Amino acid sequence: FHAFAYSVLRRFRPQGYEGDLSLMDGPDILSALQHCKDKLELGKGDRSFPKNQTIVSLLSKCRNKENSLEDVLRGEAMHLMAYADDLSRIGSAYAEFKHQHCLLDYDDLLFELENLFVQKPEVLELQRSMFAHIMVDEYQDTNRVQARLTQMLAGQGGNILAVGDDAQSVYAFR
């Protein structure tokens, strides 16, 4: 999903991005998040403030589950509820930072591709014309946006082969 999304987004720039898009890796994401925390002056001197990797994980979980930060915290990290407002501010600053610098993280790839397909149906039609059949391996690990992208690409009555094993789901333990 991610490689496909990046290849399409490089050819058809998503709306609102000026300049060449760059994909962020793990260290880039942590660095950008730290920049946002520093700019907002959050977490300094508070030893119980969530670590950057924890914040990245929570923000990514919100995107992938398409749930609010508060819902994710209530369900999986109740002990961090006291930081909900600060984490939300960091999340907003991080999203703005990425947009300003034409940066995408892995979650952005999927959502920006979906937005592109909605905003420019001709791009979706071009992609559809390239694929008579779609196979999704490890389907048990797809999230909602991946399922929507699959349906969009397949179109009405499209040919989709989903391969999966619920016993191997990365989400089974959650």
Side-chain angles (χ1 to χ4, degrees):
F1 281 97
H2 295 90
F4 172 74
Y6 191 46
S7 71
V8 173
L9 292 171
R10 285 191 356 231
R11 286 181 286 145
F12 304 96
R13 182 176 300 127
Q15 188 173 348
Y17 285 89
E18 303 297 325
D20 293 332
L21 294 174
S22 293
L23 182 60
M24 302 169 74
D25 62 11
D28 294 333
I29 292 168
L30 292 173
S31 177
L33 190 87
Q34 184 62 51
H35 172 81
C36 295
K37 274 178 55 180
D38 291 345
K39 187 174 180 182
L40 295 170
E41 298 180 358
L42 293 173
K44 288 185 178 182
D46 183 351
R47 294 172 50 99
S48 61
F49 197 86
K51 304 286 185 238
N52 288 348
Q53 187 60 52
T54 300
I55 297 170
V56 167
S57 178
L58 289 168
L59 295 176
S60 179
K61 203 168 282 188
C62 291
R63 294 285 306 272
N64 283 292
K65 290 187 172 193
E66 299 183 32
N67 283 336
S68 70
L69 178 62
E70 290 77 18
D71 287 344
V72 170
L73 290 175
R74 268 190 219 98
E76 300 182 29
M78 193 65 169
H79 64 287
L80 298 177
M81 279 300 291
Y83 296 106
D85 289 340
D86 289 344
L87 295 174
S88 181
R89 289 178 57 207
I90 292 168
S92 296
Y94 174 64
E96 184 179 323
F97 178 88
K98 291 184 297 179
H99 201 81
Q100 287 175 347
H101 294 90
C102 291
L103 300 170
L104 299 172
D105 61 23
Y106 294 108
D107 297 328
D108 295 328
L109 289 173
L110 303 176
F111 288 98
E112 289 298 339
L113 181 62
E114 181 182 34
N115 290 337
L116 177 70
F117 286 167
V118 169
Q119 294 167 357
K120 296 185 178 180
E122 66 276 11
V123 175
L124 174 58
E125 287 304 317
L126 176 66
Q127 296 306 307
R128 269 189 197 152
S129 71
M130 298 170 68
F131 305 102
H133 305 281
I134 298 172
M135 185 194 80
V136 181
D137 194 14
E138 304 295 335
Y139 196 78
Q140 75 275 2
D141 295 329
T142 58
N143 60 22
R144 291 176 181 168
V145 70
Q146 290 168 329
R148 290 192 303 268
L149 287 169
T150 302
Q151 288 293 333
M152 292 171 93
L153 285 165
Q156 295 291 350
N159 293 312
I160 300 173
L161 172 65
V163 179
D165 180 354
D166 61 350
Q168 293 184 25
S169 174
V170 297
Y171 301 106
F173 64 91
R174 293 186 183 163

